[in-house]
Amino acid sequence: MKALVLSGGTGSRLRPFSYSMPKQLIPIANKPVLERVLDNIRDLGVTEIGIIVGNHVEEIAEAIGDGSRLGVEITYIPQESPQGLAQCVQLAQDFLGDDDFVMYLGDNMLPEGIAEAAAEFHALRPAAQVLVAQVEDPRAFGVAEVDATGIVERLVEKPPVPRSNLALIGVYFFTPAIHEAVDSIVPSARGELEITDAIQWLVTNGSTVRAQEYRGYWKDTGRVEDVLECNQMLLDGIERRVDGEVDDQSVLIGAVVVEAGAKISRSFVEGPVVIGAGTVLEDSHVGPHTSIGRDCVLSGTHLDYSIALDGATISAVRGLHGSLLGRSAAVTGIDLASRHHRLVVGDHTRVEVAA
């Protein structure tokens, strides 16, 4: 079995971040989403992975490399413009060959892994198997209509009146039968080759397609709110580890990770919190569910439920909450009045927070 990971989307819902970095590289608990996806695939015993890449190919390749650091072998497959998930399968046909494969959206978080779904696919080997989850509003998703035995009877992309609440969540298992399907469909009304249409082609032509309901935590990290929620969920599972320097005037409470090379002075940190290597924290208060990247500088600052990416600087700003600060962003306050600020600041951006 091989794997195909889709990382070519534009990430319009995560702007301004997606202007300067692919959304798949935004770190959750200080680890990029894409790395977590690749870890899940490697845990299946799958090591040959193709990654569909768009405009951010150089940045993704720099972050992931050839995959050897993660125990996998990466092949990069360029996509000039996003034209649907089924088009990604077409672009990857030479890489995939006649192998079964798992296709995985590169911005999806499934921390509990997909081993159970893979085992079911191997045991039953339908032409295709989709992971689905119950959602409150299925109209924004591909929707599966499934019988009592798990057989897919019908798939519809973003139906205005859904007949099921089972949404496709971005993980698919395929046999080589999918290649004929994607070559047989035409673009949808929005001009894309929909993977739902290709899977429906299999159903219509008599192939077995199964659905497995995913009951673990799942999140599409397409919005800032989703990134912060996912960060909270993963931080809740960390264990305390202090490898950096903490002076005797600082207090660390609960699950706090201080990576080697980080320095904490005259500060209060209440976990769960991750503080990256090389970061300096002075005269500050960091509250729960906060991830601070590498080489950041925080002074006279109070923040919680937030993410600061590598190289961010925050000075004299109290009450940051629910914020996402980009790489090498600089945020400065002109007073020390305690109040709640919610900021979304792109990479290399300077912001002054007034009273």
Side-chain angles (χ1 to χ4, degrees):
M1 174 176 272
K2 293 179 180 176
L4 183 64
V5 176
L6 310 189
S7 295
T10 58
S12 58
R13 293 177 296 162
L14 265 177
R15 290 172 181 160
F17 296 96
S18 53
Y19 285 126
S20 55
M21 71 182 300
K23 59 181 178 177
Q24 297 84 4
L25 293 186
I26 288 183
I28 308 287
N30 280 12
K31 185 174 185 178
V33 174
L34 182 56
E35 279 197 29
R36 296 184 183 276
V37 168
L38 298 177
D39 286 347
N40 278 357
I41 292 171
R42 184 200 58 226
D43 289 346
L44 303 179
V46 176
T47 57
E48 293 183 72
I49 303 175
I51 301 181
I52 299 288
V53 287
N55 295 334
H56 291 292
V57 55
E58 293 182 0
E59 194 159 4
I60 290 176
E62 181 180 355
I64 303 301
D66 63 3
S68 57
R69 175 175 60 87
L70 304 174
V72 297
E73 179 183 338
I74 299 296
T75 297
Y76 294 100
I77 302 168
Q79 182 185 40
E80 291 185 4
S81 62
Q83 296 179 35
L85 304 189
Q87 186 217 23
C88 294
V89 176
Q90 287 184 328
L91 293 173
Q93 282 181 359
D94 288 344
F95 165 75
L96 295 168
D98 293 327
D99 289 289
D100 294 350
F101 66 99
V102 56
M103 186 168 82
Y104 201 131
L105 300 191
D107 56 356
N108 270 15
M109 286 289 296
L110 292 87
E112 296 162 53
I114 56 172
E116 182 180 342
E120 180 174 303
F121 175 74
H122 286 306
L124 301 176
R125 203 168 180 269
Q129 178 175 298
V130 298
L131 258 64
V132 297
Q134 296 187 36
V135 298
E136 291 185 5
D137 186 359
R139 291 174 297 176
F141 300 89
V143 174
E145 299 171 15
V146 182
D147 73 11
T149 67
I151 299 294
V152 174
E153 298 178 327
R154 185 168 176 256
L155 285 170
V156 184
E157 182 67 25
K158 298 180 175 62
V161 184
R163 293 165 55 180
S164 164
N165 69 343
L166 295 176
L168 305 181
I169 64 172
V171 178
Y172 312 80
F173 293 87
F174 293 120
T175 66
I178 193 64
H179 297 303
E180 181 181 3
V182 299
D183 289 339
S184 300
I185 62 173
V186 298
S188 65
R190 60 177 185 167
E192 296 190 356
L193 290 175
E194 311 286 358
I195 198 64
T196 47
D197 290 344
I199 301 172
Q200 180 60 45
W201 187 93
L202 291 173
V203 172
T204 301
N205 285 274
S207 296
T208 299
V209 175
R210 297 191 62 86
Q212 185 185 59
E213 186 174 348
Y214 191 78
R215 300 183 185 277
Y217 179 87
W218 157 69
K219 182 64 66 175
D220 167 6
T221 56
R223 304 176 306 156
V224 170
E225 294 82 1
D226 300 325
V227 170
L228 291 170
E229 179 191 315
C230 222
N231 190 63
Q232 174 183 352
M233 185 270 176
L234 289 177
L235 287 177
D236 280 336
I238 67 172
E239 296 182 357
R240 183 182 178 102
R241 189 182 81 248
V242 179
D243 296 328
E245 299 179 23
V246 181
D247 72 0
D248 57 8
Q249 298 180 62
S250 297
V251 176
L252 275 56
I253 296 177
V256 178
V257 173
V258 183
E259 295 182 352
K263 297 182 179 180
I264 301 178
S265 304
R266 303 177 303 280
S267 296
F268 181 90
V269 182
E270 181 182 1
V273 167
V274 174
I275 298 173
T279 284
V280 176
L281 187 66
E282 298 177 333
D283 303 307
S284 293
H285 182 159
V286 177
H289 300 119
T290 299
S291 295
I292 301 172
R294 304 166 71 93
D295 301 318
C296 296
V297 177
L298 280 71
S299 60
T301 290
H302 182 174
L303 79 163
D304 61 17
Y305 194 69
S306 296
I307 297 175
L309 275 61
D310 293 353
T313 300
I314 312 169
S315 176
V317 181
R318 295 186 182 273
L320 279 179
H321 174 84
S323 297
L324 181 55
L325 310 178
R327 295 172 299 181
S328 300
V331 180
T332 303
I334 62 172
D335 70 0
L336 296 180
S338 179
R339 55 183 293 185
H340 264 41
H341 300 283
R342 183 185 186 276
L343 297 178
V344 178
V345 181
D347 291 352
H348 310 287
T349 301
R350 301 185 66 85
V351 174
E352 187 173 82
V353 181

